[in-house]
Amino acid sequence: MSAQERRAKILAAAISAFAREGYEKTTMDQIATGANITKPVLYDHFPSKQALFQAVLETIRDGLIAKGRSIVAEDTDPADKFRRAVDAFLGFVEDEPAAARVLLTVPSGDPAAAQLARTVQVGASAGIAALLTAFMGARSPWQLRAATEFLKEGLHAIALWWLDNPGPTRREVADIVLEIAWVGLRGQAGSNGERKRKAIDRKR
């Protein structure tokens, strides 16, 4: 097994343990056992549980951001682009529930781990801000940040609720998000388009 393959196996075992036991109760022994490796080998890859937790969070976050960027880059209708972004996030929650719980649940009993989780979320905010820029246009930095946090926390809340209440389908959950969130963004996208058209007319 290559070092990269072993690292991936460790991360998978860590995600499973963190989701099942929580950060505080998870031990490096449990993760080593789950990855079917010895504890010294585990420490060769990650010097501490906190370092491993950070790697887990960043890996999950970066995968989501990459999906979001690819959607933002597409030349499609704004409504379709937003729906696809929401669906991609909910698809992650549906397909990788353990990873979703780890990413979205901030440890409560370890201040250092909690701060680490919040720091990783700053990167997630940057990814969502890039998506919202396509709809909100030339808004002030604070307005974009406020909208980003509002949407991010809302998506996180509905994701955790859905994990605990798995009755609705992914499409149904996406529909309620769009019904609530797209109403405002649709107006922003329309206003942004109108401003662009006026700017083009002035140049003619």
Side-chain angles (χ1 to χ4, degrees):
M1 186 181 297
S2 68
Q4 185 175 1
E5 290 171 332
R6 186 174 290 109
R7 177 185 170 88
K9 194 171 183 179
I10 291 170
L11 291 176
I15 288 171
S16 178
F18 288 141
R20 184 179 63 252
E21 304 290 343
Y23 176 81
E24 294 85 356
K25 293 182 179 180
T26 296
T27 67
M28 294 293 268
D29 284 310
Q30 290 173 323
I31 294 170
T33 299
N36 196 29
I37 59 174
T38 64
K39 200 171 176 182
V41 171
L42 175 57
Y43 278 107
D44 282 342
H45 287 269
F46 300 98
S48 66
K49 185 172 75 167
Q50 189 177 108
L52 176 53
F53 185 57
Q54 180 176 356
V56 163
L57 293 178
E58 290 178 346
T59 299
I60 299 170
R61 179 203 64 191
D62 292 348
L64 282 172
I65 289 176
K67 289 180 183 178
R69 283 175 178 165
S70 66
I71 293 171
V72 170
E74 294 174 359
D75 186 18
T76 58
D77 175 73
D80 180 64
K81 186 179 294 188
F82 185 73
R83 170 175 277 280
R84 289 194 57 193
V86 170
D87 183 68
F89 174 73
L90 294 176
F92 155 72
V93 176
E94 182 176 49
D95 298 337
E96 303 179 59
R101 284 194 184 276
V102 174
L103 181 67
L104 304 180
T105 304
V106 176
S108 58
D110 188 310
Q115 182 56 48
L116 181 60
R118 285 190 286 268
T119 300
V120 168
Q121 285 298 332
V122 172
S125 295
I128 294 175
L131 173 64
L132 291 183
T133 299
F135 306 116
M136 298 185 68
R139 287 300 190 114
S140 67
W142 80 261
Q143 289 174 318
L144 184 59
R145 285 197 299 270
T148 294
E149 292 306 314
F150 180 82
L151 181 60
K152 184 184 74 173
E153 293 302 323
L155 285 171
H156 288 187
I158 200 168
L160 289 172
W161 174 85
W162 188 33
L163 286 170
D164 293 331
N165 300 271
T169 66
R170 174 170 151 189
R171 182 182 180 88
E172 289 172 330
V173 176
D175 283 343
I176 195 65
V177 172
L178 289 162
E179 183 179 336
I180 295 170
W182 181 244
V183 172
L185 287 175
R186 179 178 56 198
Q188 294 294 333
S191 298
N192 188 38
E194 182 63 25
R195 285 193 292 270
K196 288 181 178 178
R197 285 192 293 273
K198 288 181 179 179
I200 292 171
D201 290 340
R202 285 195 296 269
K203 292 179 180 178
R204 288 176 177 174

